Amino acid sequence: MDTHIKPLLAALRGETQHPPPLWLMRQAGRYLPEYRALRAKAGSFLDLCYDPALAAEASLQPLCRFPLDGVILFSDILVVAEALGVRLWFEEGEGPRLEAIPEGGSVPAFDAERQTRHLAPVYEAMERVVVAAPAGATVLGFAGAPWTLATYMVGGGRSRDFAAVKGWAYRDPATFGRLIETVGEAVAAHLIAQLDAGADAVQIFDSWAGALPESEFARWSIEPIRQIVVEVRAAHPQAPIIGYPRGAGVACERLAAETGVNAISIDSTVPPTWAAEHLQPQCTVQGNLDPVALLAGGDALRRAAEGILRALGDGPFVFNLGEGVLPQTPPQHVAELADLVHTWPDRTGR
């Protein structure tokens, strides 16, 4: 399909769009009553992820309510860890839990056939989304970056201090590097499979990039992502790739330059004016409204959104949040944001 009728895809390929396209991280989720009903029907979060019909329905629910320019597959970054043979479960109110890989323990082997078989329901869900998505909507796949997946696989879940994973990386970088390499192979294959199933573009979530000091950032975040980009581009040369190094701050500039991603998604702590000066000359910028501004709505939402639009709207840009939609967000605030973005710059008189 021509990119001129898919504004998000055009923006990810470096074209400036007026108004800019809009989608939201975690746009399918608990803030929507229809999602909560679907989750109850599925029985558990993982059951929902692995049911192709229900996962596709969850993916598309936000576009039934809001004029969004992108639909992202409903899934989870940790399905790749499970496909590598790491036991995964979710505890209500506690988040993900994994059977931790201890430092010096056996590094799982990447088995392409096993992963394809295990994640077949995810790829079927993607095929369903591609068929049912509105004509102008860009379909997005995604995966977690190797560093972020490793933090869960070594830590056994979310960590406050990342002591287990960082300790392993410091004390035995050679063995830890094999884990990162294995996860990178699995992530690249997962992204390629989603593009094979019809996705237009993919996003790599390095959600815990900010836990890495500058001295380790290149080794454990930039280089693994660069290798993934090379592999994905070999299979799908035209598919845009978005990098999301949450918490990386000014290191976003280096990641953009050295990985070759088409777009950098910035979190809410990155000044939009800095991003316009340092990131937009080399790639598309995506972001970066504070989810709490969306939660607040009203004048606070308008001021925050218009500040971002003024800073970034005259270059290649995708409006998004700096992090995911908060569960307590009123759905009408998402509708307000969509109206604000899609009527810019007319609303501001620029």
Side-chain angles (χ1 to χ4, degrees):
M1 183 173 292
D2 292 340
T3 59
H4 73 275
I5 59 173
K6 286 194 171 186
L8 173 54
L9 186 57
L12 293 175
R13 289 178 173 165
E15 299 178 24
T16 299
Q17 302 287 296
H18 289 113
L22 165 72
W23 72 279
L24 304 176
M25 289 186 282
R26 214 177 293 150
Q27 64 189 25
R30 288 176 289 169
Y31 76 104
L32 293 175
E34 56 267 38
Y35 168 83
R36 296 194 295 270
L38 197 66
R39 168 71 182 275
K41 178 180 178 181
S44 75
F45 177 76
L46 279 177
D47 287 338
L48 180 52
C49 288
Y50 287 124
D51 185 310
L54 296 184
E57 185 178 345
S59 307
L60 293 161
Q61 281 177 341
L63 279 81
C64 296
R65 273 187 180 254
F66 314 117
L68 301 169
D69 297 293
V71 52
I72 187 166
L73 178 68
F74 183 85
S75 186
D76 192 83
I77 63 170
L78 293 176
V79 297
V80 169
E82 191 174 44
L84 283 167
V86 178
R87 191 166 74 89
L88 168 67
W89 68 100
F90 282 77
E91 295 181 2
E92 201 66 36
E94 298 293 330
R97 292 286 184 269
L98 299 91
E99 188 173 1
I101 301 171
E103 181 177 340
S106 177
V107 172
F110 169 60
D111 183 326
E113 184 176 333
R114 180 182 65 187
Q115 176 162 304
T116 299
R117 184 170 59 252
H118 183 83
L119 298 179
V122 176
Y123 308 138
E124 182 183 339
M126 175 62 80
E127 291 171 351
R128 289 170 178 259
V129 170
V130 169
V131 169
T138 295
V139 178
L140 298 157
F142 72 95
W147 165 254
T148 287
L149 290 178
T151 68
Y152 287 98
M153 294 166 70
V154 176
R158 290 191 179 97
S159 175
R160 292 183 177 181
D161 56 17
F162 302 94
V165 65
K166 290 169 72 174
W168 186 353
Y170 280 128
R171 286 186 290 265
D172 187 2
T175 305
F176 184 72
R178 288 199 293 273
L179 175 62
I180 291 290
E181 183 178 349
T182 296
V183 175
E185 288 183 277
V187 167
H190 185 46
L191 293 173
I192 290 167
Q194 292 175 77
L195 291 165
D196 288 344
D200 295 305
V202 291
Q203 177 159 313
I204 302 171
F205 285 82
D206 210 352
S207 305
W208 301 120
L212 286 165
E214 183 182 7
S215 61
E216 304 299 306
F217 184 73
R219 185 171 194 173
W220 304 125
S221 181
I222 291 177
E223 180 57 22
I225 292 173
R226 187 195 67 79
Q227 292 178 5
I228 290 167
V229 170
V230 168
E231 291 187 45
V232 173
R233 288 255 168 80
H236 291 274
Q238 301 305 314
I241 302 170
I242 309 164
Y244 176 51
R246 186 164 71 104
V250 297
C252 289
E253 184 177 12
R254 187 176 174 189
L255 187 139
E258 297 182 21
T259 62
V261 293
N262 301 85
I264 288 287
S265 191
I266 54 176
D267 65 50
S268 302
T269 67
V270 177
T273 51
W274 180 90
E277 180 180 354
H278 293 270
L279 297 178
Q280 259 184 338
Q282 59 180 315
C283 68
T284 300
V285 174
Q286 176 176 280
N288 71 329
L289 182 71
D290 185 346
V292 180
L294 181 62
L295 171 64
D299 288 343
L301 171 58
R302 177 185 54 77
R303 287 193 302 270
E306 288 184 354
I308 294 167
L309 289 163
R310 283 192 294 270
L312 292 164
D314 288 329
F317 173 57
V318 174
F319 199 103
N320 207 311
L321 301 178
E323 293 84 22
V325 178
L326 296 172
Q328 62 269 42
T329 302
Q332 62 267 30
H333 292 184
V334 177
E336 290 174 17
L337 176 63
D339 180 65
L340 192 156
V341 172
H342 286 144
T343 58
W344 188 87
D346 295 339
R347 176 188 293 272
T348 62
R350 288 189 59 177

Short mmCIF file of all heavy atoms in Angstrom, two decimals, residues 52 66 72 95 115 153 224-226 237:
data_model
loop_
_atom_site.label_atom_id
_atom_site.label_comp_id
_atom_site.label_asym_id
_atom_site.label_seq_id
_atom_site.Cartn_x
_atom_site.Cartn_y
_atom_site.Cartn_z
N PRO A 52 -5.10 -16.14 19.12
CA PRO A 52 -4.99 -15.24 17.96
C PRO A 52 -6.20 -14.34 17.76
O PRO A 52 -6.05 -13.14 17.47
CB PRO A 52 -4.81 -16.20 16.78
CG PRO A 52 -4.21 -17.43 17.38
CD PRO A 52 -4.83 -17.54 18.74
N PHE A 66 -10.87 5.51 18.62
CA PHE A 66 -10.09 6.71 18.40
C PHE A 66 -9.48 6.72 16.99
O PHE A 66 -9.12 5.66 16.47
CB PHE A 66 -8.94 6.80 19.42
CG PHE A 66 -9.34 6.52 20.83
CD1 PHE A 66 -8.81 5.43 21.52
CD2 PHE A 66 -10.25 7.33 21.49
CE1 PHE A 66 -9.17 5.16 22.83
CE2 PHE A 66 -10.63 7.07 22.81
CZ PHE A 66 -10.09 5.97 23.47
N ILE A 72 -0.76 -1.48 17.06
CA ILE A 72 0.35 -2.33 17.46
C ILE A 72 -0.20 -3.65 17.98
O ILE A 72 -1.20 -3.69 18.69
CB ILE A 72 1.24 -1.63 18.52
CG1 ILE A 72 2.49 -2.47 18.79
CG2 ILE A 72 0.46 -1.31 19.79
CD1 ILE A 72 3.58 -1.71 19.54
N GLY A 95 2.98 -8.48 38.24
CA GLY A 95 3.71 -8.44 36.99
C GLY A 95 4.34 -9.77 36.63
O GLY A 95 4.03 -10.81 37.20
N GLN A 115 11.02 -21.82 18.22
CA GLN A 115 10.44 -20.50 18.42
C GLN A 115 9.27 -20.26 17.48
O GLN A 115 8.23 -19.73 17.91
CB GLN A 115 11.51 -19.42 18.22
CG GLN A 115 10.94 -18.01 18.33
CD GLN A 115 12.00 -16.96 18.56
OE1 GLN A 115 12.77 -17.05 19.51
NE2 GLN A 115 12.06 -15.95 17.69
N MET A 153 15.22 -12.12 32.48
CA MET A 153 15.62 -13.52 32.47
C MET A 153 16.61 -13.84 33.59
O MET A 153 16.59 -14.93 34.16
CB MET A 153 16.20 -13.89 31.11
CG MET A 153 15.17 -13.82 29.98
SD MET A 153 15.92 -13.85 28.32
CE MET A 153 16.52 -15.54 28.26
N PRO A 224 23.90 -4.80 20.38
CA PRO A 224 22.89 -5.83 20.09
C PRO A 224 21.75 -5.31 19.21
O PRO A 224 21.27 -6.03 18.32
CB PRO A 224 22.37 -6.22 21.48
CG PRO A 224 23.50 -5.88 22.41
CD PRO A 224 24.12 -4.64 21.83
N ILE A 225 21.32 -4.08 19.43
CA ILE A 225 20.26 -3.52 18.58
C ILE A 225 20.77 -3.34 17.16
O ILE A 225 20.05 -3.62 16.18
CB ILE A 225 19.72 -2.20 19.17
CG1 ILE A 225 18.96 -2.49 20.48
CG2 ILE A 225 18.81 -1.49 18.18
CD1 ILE A 225 18.52 -1.25 21.23
N ARG A 226 22.00 -2.89 17.01
CA ARG A 226 22.57 -2.73 15.67
C ARG A 226 22.56 -4.05 14.91
O ARG A 226 22.20 -4.11 13.73
CB ARG A 226 24.00 -2.19 15.76
CG ARG A 226 24.61 -1.84 14.41
CD ARG A 226 26.12 -1.68 14.49
NE ARG A 226 26.79 -2.93 14.79
CZ ARG A 226 27.02 -3.89 13.88
NH1 ARG A 226 26.63 -3.74 12.62
NH2 ARG A 226 27.62 -5.01 14.24
N PRO A 237 14.15 -5.08 3.72
CA PRO A 237 14.94 -3.84 3.57
C PRO A 237 14.13 -2.56 3.73
O PRO A 237 14.67 -1.54 4.15
CB PRO A 237 15.52 -3.95 2.16
CG PRO A 237 15.46 -5.40 1.82
CD PRO A 237 14.27 -5.94 2.52
#
